[in-house]
Structures are given as C-alpha cells and as structure tokens.
Amino acid sequence: MRITDLLKKSGIALGVKVADKSEAIDKLVSLHEKCGNLKDVKAYKEGILNREELGTTAVGMEVAIPHAKSEAVKAPALTAITVPDGVDYDSPDGKPCKLLFMIAATTDGDVHLEVLARLMQLLMHEDFTAKLKAAKTPEEFISIIDARETEKFPDEPKAEVPAKKGYRVLAITACPTGIAHTYMAAESLQKAGDSLNIPIKVETNGSGGAKNVLTEEEIANCDGIIIAADITINLARFDGKPVLQCAVSDGIHKPEELINKIVNKEVPVYHHKGGSADAPRKRGGAYGHLMNGVSHMLPFVVAGGIFIAIAFLIDIACGVNAQEVGSAFGTVTPAAAWFKTLGGVAFNLMVPILSGFIAMSIADRPGLLVGLVGGFLATSGATFMDPAAAETVPSGFLGGLLAGFVGGYLMLGIEKMCDKMPKALEGIKPVLIYPLLGLGGILVVMCAVNPFMGMINSGMSNGLNAIASNPAMMVPLCALLAGMMSIDMGGPFNKAAYAFATLNLANADDQAYIIMAAVMIGGMVPPIAVALSNTFFKNRWTDEERKNAPVNYIMGLSFISEGAIPYAAGHPLQVIPSCIVGSAVAGALSALFGCKLMAPHGGIFVFATMQGTWYFYLLALAIGAVVSMFMLALLKRPIKK
C-alpha cells in the first residue's frame, strides 16, 4: 500500500505552530476529521493517547509517527504536519520534532504496521526528510513522497480506486418560490454532468414537495453533494460526506465548476452538530433566513389572494356595484362571503408563517413557536398597556420580520444558556424550558416594539394614501416597483417589490390593487420580451437560444419572470437594462390606465379579476414587451456567421 494512496492534500498542514505534544496531536486528529476519515473523533483520539502512554512514537531525526488502530476509523489514512520551530515530543534523541505523520488504521488487518514500516524506510534518508520539511504546498509534499516511493519501490503499482456504484455526484436544488429556479438549476446540473460524463442525480425541493429524492445508498456511495439552494435544507443525512453549499443561481450558471469541485475533492466534509435528523439546517446569512420565511409564506399569499379574487368575481357576476357597496364588496352574496372569509384566514396567517419560519431557519425547531407567536403579536398589535390590541395599530409585515429574526436569535441564546443545566433535564428542555423562556421573551420584545413599528406602519400607510391621492406620484412608484421585478428576476430586488405589493393587498383598497397590477406586469415583461426578440430578431440569437425561446411566451403570460434568466445570464448588459426599461414602462402605463389587480399571482389566468380594465392591462403589457424587444435589438448586435 503506497503512502500517496493514503494521504490527501486536505490532510497536510505545513508551517504549523504548536505549543506542545498535546496540541500537535489535536492538529493531526483535526486533519483526519477534516478529510472525513473518522467515524468517531473522540474515540480515535483516545486510541492515539493510549498508544502514547505505552511509549513515545517519536522515532528520532526530528520525526514522530503517532498511530492508532481503532473501530472509529472509516478507512486507512494518513495526515501530516511540518513544524518549523519544532515541538517537544519526548524523542529518544532529545531533539524537537519538525515532521509528524499520524496513521489511522482500521481494526481488520495490520495496515498501520505496513505503513509504519514503509514510512521508516523512506524517512531514514535525511535528504528526503529535509525536502519534506521545506515543502511549500501540499501538492509539493505529496510529489516528493511519490517520487521517492517510485524510486524505492519501482515495481509496485498505485492502488486502483474501485469504481463507485451509482451516482458520483448528488445535488439538491431549491428556491424560495419552488418554481422556476429550482428546476432550472436541476436541469443545468444534469446537463453539465452528462457533458462531463459524470453520473449525477438531482433532488428538487419544489413547491409540490421533494422529487427524485436521494436514497441512503446513493448518499453513501457518492463523492459528494451539491446544495444549490436559497432556503433551509436538511443536511443531517449528509453527515460525514463532502457537502458544497451555494446559491441556487450558481447551480444555474456554474454547474461544471460545482461538479468539478466535488470530483477533485476540493470540498470540506460536513459534520452535523445537534438537532434531530429531521431538523432543517440553515444555509446561513440573513438573506437565507428571510427566503426560508418567504418560501413558506407564498402559498398563503397566493391561495388566499385568489380566493379573495374569486369572491370579487362572484359579486361582479351577481350584478353587485362595487362603488355602491364600498368595503362590503366581495361579501354581498353568500358564496362570495364564503370565499372572502376563507381567503382572509389564509391572509391573516401569512405574517405569523413568515416570522415563524425565519425563526426556525435560525434556531431549528425550537424557534418555530417563538416566531409564530411573535408574528401573531405583530398582526394584532399587542402592547403592555393594551394586550388585547383594541386600540393600537398593528406592526404588520415589518413587525413580523423583526419577530422572526429576534425570536430566532433569542432562542439560540436561550439554548446556549441552558447548555450548562444538569444532564438530567435534557429531556424536558425542548418541551418545557425552551418554549416557556422563548414565549416569555418574545412577548416582552413584541409588546415593547409594537408601538414603534405601528407608528412606522401608520406613516407608510399615510404615505401610500398621499401617493394614491396624487396620480402624478402613483405612476413613478408603480414604474419603480415594476422595474425592480426585472433587475434580478427572482432575486432580492424582485422579491422585495413582490412582497411589498402582496402584503399591501391585505389593505383591500384601490392603491393596493394598482400597485399589485404594476408589480405583476413588471414580472411578466422579461420572458415575453425575450421571446419576441427571438421571434422577430433571429440574427441576434444562437440556434439553441431560439429553440428554447417560445416557452417564454407561456412563462411570461403565467407571471414566471425566471424564464428570462438564461438569456440575462448570457447577455446581462443587453438583456437586463432592456427588461428593466420595458417593465417600468408597462408598470407606469398600468397605473395610468387605472388597472387594479386583486390576485397576487397567476398572470393572464387572473385578468378576469380586474374590474373591467383587463384590455388596458393587456395593452400595457404588450407596449412594455415591445419596448424591451426594440431596446434589445439596439443593444444586442447581430451574431456574425
């Protein structure tokens, strides 16, 4: 068995500074853990220390080779460090050790003895050890060993790596909406794997649940896993496997790079810490936590909004005059009232769901209670002086966001504080101590901040009312929001504009409906504009781009902005500005025409809810898409044959 077969680049650390023998052992063990060589780090380290108690493993000549044969080892492996300043390792010649190897061996066979014998034969040559101590990179370190092994044992071939069964690379894709980006990233990774001749399987965590789910056997046999997701993903099942986490957009735009990192073993091994196997683990960062909340909230917004829109349709069909009945519109007929009531229930849950899943993304399952209650308190507006919220202004969406983040980090603090409690209380922590302390904490926080958040909401509401009363200000606002929908087509700008519009629908007034119409039309323009450009300006696009373009007509009319992403990714300086301008024009025209949309999603399929203005809405959409198409024709020059 060759030394180079057991030693990985990630298992080598050069120029290390360690204070003593114990610290040197810790460093070598941590390299084994980093390489994924161990089942149980603590048990393996105990084996190393037990061997050291029998006598030092320093061999003289500034070299030490600590080793252990243990059931905690997955497969025979080596790690190595160089210590330029030396470390006292109780060497028989009294010299400090500057070159240390650590052998991890399984209990079947005597691999550690074979490796130890091989190492000793090589390390007897001072010029060889001097070269290893002077190596600047792990690659150089391995090449020095390889050259000497080949010279010393010329007839011994390198060990053949057995072919892995099944897929070499596994992946999971997910986006906040669980619609376009999820499947675009999956398709991109699949195509890249096929082109690289690397078997890959992709699990999609879409709006309809997980599809093509990875099995335990596939996970055990793969080289590594790519997590291309903007929401929380369960990582517990990947414990001990190399896991590469990235944004879902990287799965779309950089699939070959991600796959090559897995195959070339450039990805760290993931070690699951705490929580149950079902507990979702966070991707990290405020944006990741926010998107986890948004992805769970969207079904409530969409379904509730469409139910409310159906209620309006029923009243319209029954001849109800919206102007005469005022705020009672949508509840005049019994059938309309039924749909409006159920839609309102879903709408009332969206802020607690948002804050609950933000908190859960931060603090796992214990955070859910804190976030949900905090979100409910935000929608009710409870304060210390008015717990029933009879006379206060709710803090609403902004309060829900605050409740999610504050509740999540509050629960993390409570968990850390409880770490020092007696082990006998471990069983009651998640069912009694965490909920009680978390609930009390979030009640205090939300009752304290609700008055201030309510004032901000009142200011925003008054501002919107002022804008609504002045058409000259409403048009620029709608143009801005519609343009934002095209900046990143599903990213933070897009989601900010969409969240602003959908959450304002709860106000059930004209300005909210005008804003919703502008935001939806802004998201419909990019894919339609790209499809039009491919249809009428064919010489600007490749054969592949033209072949895939027609589906963008359907995606655009269905309000799926992400259909334009592949074109924007390939030609960002031409596509993105063109789409922003066209969307802004469409949004401004929608506001000028007085288009009012009561449903937050659905594209052309919910145009019937627009109170008789749908034909102007179609006109605004057509004008915006054509503006984008002509701007694209100006910015994107014909492709030279």
Side-chain angles (χ1 to χ4, degrees):
M1 181 173 289
R2 292 174 63 91
I3 302 300
T4 49
D5 294 332
L6 306 178
L7 191 59
K8 300 177 183 176
K9 289 186 291 184
S10 56
I12 301 169
L14 306 177
V16 173
K17 289 186 177 181
V18 290
D20 51 30
K21 178 178 180 178
S22 176
E23 196 172 322
I25 289 173
D26 286 342
K27 179 62 179 176
L28 288 161
V29 171
S30 70
L31 289 172
H32 275 300
E33 181 183 13
K34 179 181 177 183
C35 294
N37 299 331
L38 308 176
K39 301 175 186 175
D40 186 331
V41 177
K42 185 178 179 181
Y44 173 70
K45 184 179 175 182
E46 285 179 2
I48 289 289
L49 296 178
N50 290 338
R51 171 60 187 84
E52 292 296 327
E53 288 179 2
L54 299 176
T56 181
T57 52
V59 295
M61 302 174 295
E62 300 182 341
V63 175
I65 312 177
H67 50 274
K69 185 177 181 181
S70 171
E71 292 182 355
V73 177
K74 292 181 180 178
L78 270 175
T79 57
I81 61 172
T82 59
V83 187
D85 296 336
V87 59
D88 184 2
Y89 211 93
D90 301 325
S91 181
D93 59 7
K95 293 182 179 180
C97 290
K98 298 183 179 180
L99 177 62
L100 295 91
F101 289 89
M102 180 175 279
I103 304 171
T106 55
T107 53
D108 52 333
D110 293 313
V111 172
H112 66 300
L113 298 178
E114 296 174 22
V115 175
L116 190 59
R118 172 68 61 90
L119 271 174
M120 288 307 303
Q121 292 181 67
L122 298 177
L123 294 171
M124 288 297 293
H125 301 271
E126 292 185 5
D127 62 326
F128 172 64
T129 57
K131 288 180 181 178
L132 291 178
K133 294 173 193 173
K136 302 297 183 186
T137 65
E139 290 83 0
E140 182 185 354
F141 192 93
I142 290 176
S143 68
I144 293 168
I145 296 175
D146 188 42
R148 181 54 59 94
E149 271 196 300
T150 303
E151 177 187 339
K152 183 76 175 174
F153 310 100
D155 298 328
E156 183 182 52
K158 286 191 175 183
E160 292 186 8
V161 180
K164 286 185 177 288
K165 297 179 181 178
Y167 302 99
R168 288 195 64 188
V169 178
L170 302 178
I172 295 179
T173 62
C175 67
T177 58
I179 304 174
H181 283 76
T182 299
Y183 300 101
M184 291 166 65
E187 181 65 20
S188 185
L189 286 164
Q190 194 67 59
K191 288 173 66 177
D194 293 342
S195 66
L196 295 171
N197 199 28
I198 295 172
I200 181 171
K201 178 180 178 180
V202 186
E203 175 184 313
T204 53
N205 282 10
S207 57
K211 306 295 183 185
N212 206 31
V213 177
L214 310 178
T215 67
E216 290 185 10
E217 183 180 0
E218 289 165 348
I219 294 170
N221 291 326
C222 75
D223 289 346
I225 302 97
I226 298 166
I227 308 294
D230 286 339
I231 63 171
T232 301
I233 295 295
N234 174 5
L235 299 185
R237 52 183 167 153
F238 305 130
D239 184 37
K241 301 294 294 187
V243 174
L244 174 59
Q245 298 186 67
C246 63
V248 70
S249 57
D250 289 343
I252 298 171
H253 307 312
K254 305 175 184 176
E256 293 89 355
E257 179 183 329
L258 300 178
I259 292 172
N260 283 326
K261 281 186 177 180
I262 293 289
V263 173
N264 296 332
K265 303 187 185 304
E266 298 172 4
V267 178
V269 174
Y270 170 75
H271 296 287
H272 183 67
K273 294 181 174 64
S276 69
D278 297 323
R281 306 306 299 169
K282 40 195 170 291
R283 186 177 157 255
Y287 179 68
H289 302 318
L290 175 62
M291 287 300 100
N292 189 58
V294 170
S295 67
H296 286 88
M297 178 193 75
L298 278 178
F300 292 83
V301 177
V302 174
I306 291 176
F307 263 52
I308 292 171
I310 291 172
F312 294 144
L313 277 175
I314 292 172
D315 268 1
I316 291 170
C318 293
V320 176
N321 189 314
Q323 301 298 325
E324 291 178 359
V325 300
S327 60
F329 182 59
T331 61
V332 177
T333 59
W338 189 83
F339 278 99
K340 182 79 180 298
T341 301
L342 292 182
V345 170
F347 254 43
N348 291 335
L349 285 171
M350 64 185 180
V351 171
I353 291 295
L354 171 72
S355 55
F357 281 93
I358 289 174
M360 188 174 180
S361 176
I362 296 169
D364 287 340
R365 199 169 296 169
L368 183 61
L369 163 72
V370 179
L372 284 172
V373 173
F376 178 81
L377 292 173
T379 58
S380 70
T383 66
F384 291 121
M385 300 299 294
D386 187 10
E391 300 178 3
T392 55
V393 177
S395 57
F397 173 61
L398 292 178
L401 280 178
L402 181 69
F405 283 101
V406 171
Y409 288 111
L410 172 68
M411 185 51 68
L412 283 183
I414 290 171
E415 289 178 358
K416 193 169 186 66
M417 182 179 67
C418 292
D419 283 345
K420 297 181 180 179
M421 294 178 68
K423 288 188 176 181
L425 299 177
E426 284 292 328
I428 66 169
K429 281 183 185 179
V431 294
L432 178 62
I433 298 174
Y434 292 164
L436 280 178
L437 295 179
L439 181 61
I442 200 65
L443 287 173
V444 171
V445 170
M446 293 310 296
C447 286
V449 303
N450 265 340
F452 303 101
M453 302 301 292
M455 285 189 285
I456 295 173
N457 266 0
S458 295
M460 290 177 61
S461 178
N462 293 336
L464 280 175
N465 287 329
I467 291 172
S469 65
N470 186 346
M473 295 180 67
M474 177 60 88
V475 171
L477 174 65
C478 288
L480 173 65
L481 291 171
M484 287 173 65
M485 294 295 288
S486 292
I487 292 176
D488 49 7
M489 303 174 196
F493 285 99
N494 175 287
K495 290 294 183 291
Y498 183 66
F500 178 76
T502 54
L503 289 162
N504 268 292
L505 282 179
N507 297 330
D509 53 23
D510 285 349
Q511 74 232 32
Y513 300 146
I514 290 172
I515 289 171
M516 188 70 249
V519 165
M520 185 177 289
I521 206 171
M524 295 170 72
V525 165
I528 295 175
V530 165
L532 286 171
S533 182
N534 275 269
T535 300
F536 295 103
F537 295 93
K538 291 183 171 65
N539 60 351
R540 265 74 168 175
W541 307 95
T542 65
D543 292 341
E544 182 73 13
E545 288 169 332
R546 289 199 304 274
K547 183 176 71 175
N548 295 327
V551 73
N552 275 296
Y553 284 116
I554 299 171
M555 295 183 78
L557 291 172
S558 302
F559 183 42
I560 301 176
S561 310
E562 290 89 345
I565 286 180
Y567 299 87
H571 318 281
L573 297 180
Q574 294 81 28
V575 174
I576 293 176
S578 302
C579 290
I580 291 172
V581 171
S583 292
V585 168
L589 289 173
S590 171
L592 279 173
F593 294 153
C595 299
K596 301 170 188 174
L597 184 64
M598 300 166 188
H601 213 292
I604 196 172
F605 303 104
V606 294
F607 279 13
T609 69
M610 301 195 66
Q611 295 186 16
T613 56
W614 62 269
Y615 37 87
F616 286 115
Y617 199 57
L618 272 178
L619 178 62
L621 175 62
I623 292 173
V626 169
V627 167
S628 286
M629 178 190 72
F630 280 116
M631 189 170 172
L632 254 176
L634 291 173
L635 295 179
K636 195 173 188 309
R637 309 310 303 165
I639 296 174
K640 294 181 180 180
K641 298 294 184 183

